[in-house]
Amino acid sequence: MTDTSTPSAEETTAATAESTGTEETKKSESVTSDSDLFSQSEIAADYIEGLLDILDYDGDIDELVSGGRPMVEVVGDRLQPLVGQRGATLEALQELTRLAIFRASGSPSRLLLDIGGYRATRRKELTAVAKNAVEKVKQHGDEVRLDPMSAFERKCVHDVVNAISGVESESEGVEPNRRIVVRSAE
């Protein structure tokens, strides 16, 4: 038998309070999540500051949260040795910093570390590489295999290729020789 009666005022108030409490809990979890991410960026900034002191490098450190990820940017002169050839040292420092965050918080991190604006510059270069590969694929129809890249670099290229209709990209191989193949979309 189906209950077709109208809920009483007390039942309505209880249901509203319950759903409001759930919404507040979800908002609270979201705020806590952003708070946790910012906390991770602060841990990372402290770790990087300690490394800079040990290495006797000067740099301004900015910690922030962007795109649901903690980020640390180090800005200053003469930071190229911390970036290394094709960003290899930067990638290693990022992994060490992620380990420091894990050790301090007990949670894995998706921290993105940038030193001397390397990632922004590299992103522009990779955009040009991706567009060039797309043009070759569209002109000749053959797939284009790019040089091996880091995960950050591959993501940049995939993002550009995925934004263009008629082509697709796929990663192949294993680290450190993982590369992108750009081909016509079928």
Side-chain angles (χ1 to χ4, degrees):
M1 181 192 247
T2 306
D3 181 12
T4 59
S5 63
T6 306
S8 68
E10 291 173 356
E11 291 171 336
T12 304
T13 304
T16 303
E18 184 177 305
S19 74
T20 303
T22 304
E23 290 170 17
E24 287 177 11
T25 302
K26 287 179 184 174
K27 288 179 185 176
S28 171
E29 288 172 1
S30 155
V31 170
T32 303
S33 178
D34 286 345
S35 171
D36 288 346
L37 293 175
F38 190 73
S39 175
Q40 289 181 11
S41 67
E42 288 178 323
I43 293 167
D46 290 343
Y47 180 76
I48 294 296
E49 185 175 4
L51 283 176
L52 291 177
D53 287 344
I54 291 168
L55 297 171
D56 198 27
Y57 281 99
D58 290 326
D60 292 327
I61 301 173
D62 294 324
E63 65 253 7
L64 53 137
V65 174
S66 178
R69 292 180 81 165
M71 295 181 64
V72 171
E73 296 175 348
V74 182
V75 182
D77 297 328
R78 298 178 291 134
L79 295 173
Q80 180 56 35
L82 297 176
V83 173
Q85 185 177 6
R86 293 199 61 195
T89 306
L90 172 59
E91 292 293 330
L93 288 172
Q94 178 174 278
E95 287 306 310
L96 288 172
T97 307
R98 287 177 174 176
L99 287 172
I101 293 169
F102 182 76
R103 183 174 173 207
S105 69
S107 299
S109 177
R110 294 180 53 231
L111 171 83
L112 187 63
L113 176 64
D114 192 10
I115 297 177
Y118 173 79
R119 291 198 190 274
T121 302
R122 186 69 178 139
R123 189 174 279 119
K124 288 178 187 175
E125 293 169 357
L126 292 166
T127 297
V129 167
K131 288 180 179 179
N132 186 20
V134 166
E135 283 302 312
K136 286 180 182 178
V137 168
K138 285 187 173 186
Q139 285 178 356
H140 304 290
D142 298 332
E143 47 183 44
V144 174
R145 281 184 166 67
L146 301 177
D147 291 335
M149 298 179 185
S150 69
F152 163 76
E153 293 171 325
R154 289 192 310 271
K155 180 171 180 348
C156 291
V157 172
H158 283 306
D159 288 347
V160 171
V161 173
N162 289 336
I164 300 172
S165 63
V167 291
E168 62 185 13
S169 61
E170 179 182 21
S171 293
E172 69 176 20
V174 293
E175 297 293 348
N177 295 315
R178 196 154 169 81
R179 67 182 66 231
I180 290 181
V181 178
V182 180
R183 65 177 62 95
S184 292
E186 296 178 38

